[in-house]
Amino acid sequence: MSETATIQRGRFEASLHTAVIWLTRHGVSLLGSRVLSVRGRKSGEMRSVPVNLLPFEGEQYLVAPRGQTQWVRNLRVAGEGRLRVGRREDTFTAVELTDDEKPDLLRAYLKRWKWEVGMFFDGVDAKASDEKLREIAPKHPVFRISLH
């Protein structure tokens, strides 16, 4: 990818990020979008980022399509956070899944949101084999959350 294309992609992602946060804060959830707030592991301040909440087999999950991001590192330390859509805010606790637990969840996530996050999965899609999904699993943290 050329430097110009990389810059344009970054601008597009920033615009999409801003739009999703604005819509979600105003009560419009795009296929499960929420604003995640989690306490910063160093600053202690609440940090917010848009995420896609994945309902799967009666449970709720957060998948990190971009990998080892700041929200992932913060959630690992805090173990809890808040999810917001509009005025509704839910607190939750989180447990990180092992890589062996991820293939079916990654498949469901890609089936639902590949159009938005597919670029972060190196060409892997919902039709990938379990073996291929296990191969990419370490790059994509997944958390099971329990809402309170």
Side-chain angles (χ1 to χ4, degrees), residues 20-51:
V20 170
I21 284 180
W22 189 89
L23 287 168
T24 305
R25 283 187 175 156
H26 288 85
V28 179
S29 174
L30 303 174
L31 295 174
S33 64
R34 301 287 189 275
V35 175
L36 166 68
S37 296
V38 65
R39 191 160 307 282
R41 65 194 181 284
K42 295 179 184 176
S43 70
E45 296 177 20
M46 294 303 282
R47 304 291 185 189
S48 297
V49 64
V51 294

Coordinates of all heavy atoms in Angstrom, one line a residue, residues 20-51:
V20 N -19.1 6.8 14.4 CA -19.7 5.7 15.2 C -19.9 6.2 16.6 O -20.9 5.9 17.2 CB -18.9 4.4 15.0 CG1 -19.4 3.4 16.1 CG2 -19.0 3.9 13.6
I21 N -18.9 6.8 17.2 CA -19.0 7.3 18.5 C -20.2 8.3 18.7 O -21.0 8.2 19.6 CB -17.7 8.0 19.0 CG1 -16.7 7.0 19.4 CG2 -18.0 8.8 20.3 CD1 -15.4 7.5 19.8
W22 N -20.3 9.3 17.7 CA -21.4 10.3 17.8 C -22.7 9.6 17.7 O -23.6 9.8 18.5 CB -21.2 11.3 16.7 CG -22.1 12.4 16.8 CD1 -21.9 13.6 17.5 CD2 -23.5 12.5 16.3 NE1 -23.0 14.4 17.4 CE2 -24.0 13.8 16.7 CE3 -24.3 11.7 15.5 CZ2 -25.3 14.2 16.3 CZ3 -25.5 12.1 15.2 CH2 -26.0 13.3 15.6
L23 N -22.9 8.7 16.7 CA -24.2 8.0 16.6 C -24.5 7.2 17.8 O -25.7 7.2 18.3 CB -24.2 7.1 15.3 CG -24.2 7.8 14.0 CD1 -23.9 6.9 12.9 CD2 -25.6 8.5 13.8
T24 N -23.6 6.4 18.3 CA -23.8 5.5 19.4 C -24.1 6.4 20.7 O -25.0 6.0 21.4 CB -22.6 4.6 19.7 OG1 -22.3 3.9 18.5 CG2 -22.9 3.6 20.8
R25 N -23.4 7.4 20.9 CA -23.7 8.3 22.1 C -25.1 8.9 22.0 O -25.7 9.3 23.0 CB -22.7 9.4 22.2 CG -21.4 8.9 22.8 CD -20.4 10.0 23.1 NE -19.2 9.4 23.7 CZ -18.0 10.0 23.7 NH1 -17.8 11.1 23.1 NH2 -17.0 9.4 24.4
H26 N -25.6 9.0 20.8 CA -26.9 9.6 20.5 C -28.0 8.5 20.4 O -29.1 8.8 19.9 CB -26.9 10.6 19.4 CG -26.2 11.9 19.7 ND1 -24.8 12.0 19.6 CD2 -26.6 13.0 20.2 CE1 -24.4 13.2 20.0 NE2 -25.5 13.8 20.4
G27 N -27.7 7.3 20.7 CA -28.7 6.3 20.8 C -28.9 5.4 19.5 O -29.8 4.6 19.4
V28 N -28.0 5.6 18.5 CA -28.1 4.8 17.3 C -27.0 3.8 17.3 O -25.8 4.1 17.1 CB -28.0 5.7 16.0 CG1 -28.0 4.9 14.8 CG2 -29.0 6.8 16.1
S29 N -27.3 2.5 17.5 CA -26.4 1.5 17.5 C -26.3 0.8 16.1 O -27.3 0.4 15.6 CB -26.8 0.4 18.5 OG -25.9 -0.7 18.5
L30 N -25.1 0.8 15.6 CA -24.9 0.2 14.2 C -24.6 -1.3 14.4 O -23.4 -1.7 14.8 CB -23.8 0.9 13.5 CG -24.0 2.4 13.2 CD1 -22.7 2.9 12.6 CD2 -25.2 2.6 12.4
L31 N -25.6 -2.2 14.3 CA -25.4 -3.6 14.5 C -24.7 -4.0 15.8 O -23.9 -4.9 15.8 CB -24.6 -4.2 13.3 CG -25.2 -4.1 11.9 CD1 -24.2 -4.5 10.8 CD2 -26.5 -5.0 11.9
G32 N -25.0 -3.3 16.8 CA -24.4 -3.7 18.1 C -23.3 -2.8 18.6 O -22.7 -3.1 19.6
S33 N -23.1 -1.6 17.9 CA -22.0 -0.7 18.4 C -22.3 -0.2 19.7 O -23.5 0.1 20.1 CB -21.8 0.4 17.4 OG -23.0 1.2 17.3
R34 N -21.3 0.0 20.5 CA -21.4 0.6 21.8 C -20.2 1.5 22.0 O -19.2 1.4 21.3 CB -21.3 -0.4 22.9 CG -22.4 -1.5 22.9 CD -23.8 -0.9 23.4 NE -24.8 -1.9 23.6 CZ -25.6 -2.4 22.6 NH1 -25.4 -2.0 21.4 NH2 -26.5 -3.3 22.9
V35 N -20.2 2.4 23.0 CA -19.0 3.1 23.4 C -18.5 2.4 24.6 O -19.2 2.4 25.7 CB -19.3 4.6 23.6 CG1 -18.1 5.3 24.2 CG2 -19.8 5.3 22.4
L36 N -17.3 1.9 24.6 CA -16.7 1.2 25.7 C -15.9 2.3 26.5 O -15.1 3.1 25.9 CB -15.7 0.2 25.2 CG -14.7 -0.4 26.2 CD1 -15.4 -1.2 27.3 CD2 -13.6 -1.2 25.5
S37 N -16.1 2.3 27.8 CA -15.3 3.1 28.7 C -14.6 2.2 29.7 O -15.2 1.4 30.3 CB -16.2 4.1 29.4 OG -16.8 5.0 28.5
V38 N -13.3 2.4 29.8 CA -12.5 1.6 30.7 C -11.4 2.4 31.3 O -10.9 3.4 30.7 CB -11.9 0.3 30.0 CG1 -10.9 0.7 28.9 CG2 -11.3 -0.7 30.9
R39 N -11.1 2.2 32.6 CA -10.1 3.0 33.3 C -8.7 2.7 32.7 O -8.3 1.6 32.6 CB -10.2 2.7 34.8 CG -9.4 3.6 35.6 CD -9.8 3.6 37.1 NE -11.2 3.8 37.3 CZ -11.9 5.0 37.3 NH1 -11.2 6.1 37.0 NH2 -13.1 5.1 37.6
G40 N -8.0 3.8 32.5 CA -6.7 3.7 32.0 C -5.8 3.1 33.0 O -5.8 3.4 34.2
R41 N -4.9 2.2 32.6 CA -4.1 1.4 33.5 C -3.0 2.3 34.1 O -2.5 2.0 35.2 CB -3.5 0.2 32.8 CG -2.6 0.5 31.7 CD -2.3 -0.7 30.8 NE -1.4 -0.4 29.8 CZ -1.7 0.3 28.7 NH1 -2.9 0.7 28.5 NH2 -0.8 0.5 27.7
K42 N -2.6 3.4 33.5 CA -1.6 4.3 34.0 C -2.1 5.6 34.5 O -1.8 6.0 35.6 CB -0.5 4.6 32.9 CG 0.3 3.4 32.4 CD 1.2 3.7 31.3 CE 2.0 2.5 30.8 NZ 2.8 2.8 29.7
S43 N -3.1 6.2 33.8 CA -3.6 7.5 34.2 C -4.7 7.3 35.2 O -4.9 8.3 36.0 CB -4.2 8.2 32.9 OG -5.4 7.5 32.5
G44 N -5.4 6.2 35.2 CA -6.6 6.1 36.1 C -7.8 6.8 35.6 O -8.9 6.7 36.2
E45 N -7.7 7.5 34.4 CA -8.8 8.2 33.9 C -9.6 7.3 33.0 O -9.1 6.3 32.4 CB -8.3 9.4 33.0 CG -7.6 10.4 33.9 CD -7.1 11.6 33.0 OE1 -7.6 11.8 31.9 OE2 -6.2 12.2 33.5
M46 N -10.9 7.5 32.8 CA -11.8 6.7 31.9 C -11.4 7.1 30.5 O -11.3 8.2 30.1 CB -13.2 7.0 32.2 CG -13.7 6.5 33.6 SD -13.4 4.7 33.9 CE -14.7 4.0 33.0
R47 N -11.3 6.0 29.7 CA -11.0 6.2 28.3 C -12.1 5.5 27.5 O -12.6 4.5 27.9 CB -9.7 5.5 27.9 CG -8.5 5.9 28.7 CD -8.1 7.3 28.3 NE -6.9 7.7 29.0 CZ -6.4 8.9 29.0 NH1 -7.1 9.9 28.4 NH2 -5.3 9.2 29.7
S48 N -12.5 6.2 26.4 CA -13.6 5.7 25.6 C -13.3 5.4 24.1 O -12.4 6.1 23.6 CB -14.8 6.7 25.6 OG -15.3 6.9 26.9
V49 N -13.9 4.4 23.6 CA -13.6 3.9 22.2 C -14.9 3.2 21.7 O -15.5 2.5 22.5 CB -12.4 3.1 22.1 CG1 -12.5 1.8 22.9 CG2 -11.9 2.8 20.7
P50 N -15.2 3.3 20.4 CA -16.3 2.5 19.9 C -15.9 1.0 19.8 O -14.8 0.7 19.4 CB -16.6 3.1 18.6 CG -15.4 3.8 18.1 CD -14.6 4.2 19.4
V51 N -16.8 0.2 20.1 CA -16.6 -1.3 19.9 C -17.9 -1.9 19.4 O -19.0 -1.3 19.4 CB -16.3 -2.0 21.3 CG1 -14.9 -1.5 21.8 CG2 -17.3 -1.8 22.3

